[in-house]
Amino acid sequence: MQGSPYEKIGGEETIARLVDAFYPRVVEHEDLKPIFPQDIKPVRDKQFLFLTQFLGGPPLYSTMYGHPMLRARHMPHEITPKRAAAWLSCMREAMDEIGLAGEMRSFIEERLTMTAHHMVNRPDDET
Ligand code: HEM
């Protein structure tokens, strides 16, 4: 954990600020609104647990929910290239809002971009 991206960005507190800045944007975004539940709190909490381990912090998500299998867990939801771009734009805005910058910002943004593209499971024209 020491020297992990998790530690470098400020651990628990920063990840909490990031998810708190991210989900209000997601639920208001035209392209994302239709696929997220109105009660976003459980999703926010799971993302907090997931990002913690994704960035090299304690494996909180797996401890509670088992192997993430993110692509499989996203399969019931229509994730198009357009929605992946929307998700990433909300994430970049959230990073801007909390002032996440520099080398770690680029690193995290890159990893999230790869993961978001990996979640795409439907072409754009089906929605
Ligand atoms: C859950 C959408 C990318 C992590 C979900 C859910 C939706 C969704 C609709 C289910 C919400 C519910 O419980 O009803 C999307 C879209 C993405 C995207 C449109 C765009 C590509 C990502 C990425 C990550 C991620 C890149 C990780 C960095 C999660 C996690 C959950 C989740 C951890 C909770 C899974 C669980 O049920 O345990 N997402 N997602 N998502 N997403 Fe995403």
Side-chain angles (χ1 to χ4, degrees):
M1 234 173 89
Q2 220 182 353
S4 63
Y6 173 79
E7 278 210 337
K8 285 186 183 159
I9 64 170
E12 184 176 348
E13 196 206 313
T14 303
I15 298 191
R17 282 168 58 223
L18 183 61
V19 294
D20 287 339
F22 177 62
Y23 282 104
R25 292 182 155 83
V26 167
V27 296
E28 288 303 318
H29 196 293
E30 277 308 294
D31 299 327
L32 298 174
K33 216 188 290 194
I35 61 166
F36 279 89
Q38 284 208 316
D39 179 13
I40 202 67
K41 177 77 165 56
V43 185
R44 176 261 177 228
D45 290 348
K46 282 179 169 175
Q47 187 65 275
F48 170 81
L49 301 176
F50 180 79
L51 287 178
T52 297
Q53 77 184 51
F54 187 73
L55 298 176
L60 303 181
Y61 181 90
S62 293
T63 302
M64 284 195 71
Y65 300 108
H67 193 289
M69 303 181 301
L70 272 196
R71 191 172 151 80
R73 289 192 205 260
H74 283 77
M75 208 48 94
H77 311 287
E78 289 192 350
I79 306 198
T80 59
K82 194 176 176 195
R83 286 196 172 124
W87 191 102
L88 286 166
S89 80
C90 291
M91 183 52 79
R92 280 191 290 267
E93 284 177 23
M95 288 173 165
D96 289 344
E97 182 182 316
I98 70 159
L100 186 59
E103 204 186 321
M104 275 299 109
R105 156 75 182 253
S106 316
F107 173 81
I108 294 167
E109 206 179 306
E110 235 169 78
R111 285 202 55 200
L112 289 176
T113 301
M114 286 192 299
T115 308
H117 290 152
H118 184 61
M119 292 308 132
V120 172
N121 53 29
R122 309 281 200 289
D124 267 329
D125 50 89
E126 269 184 30
T127 53

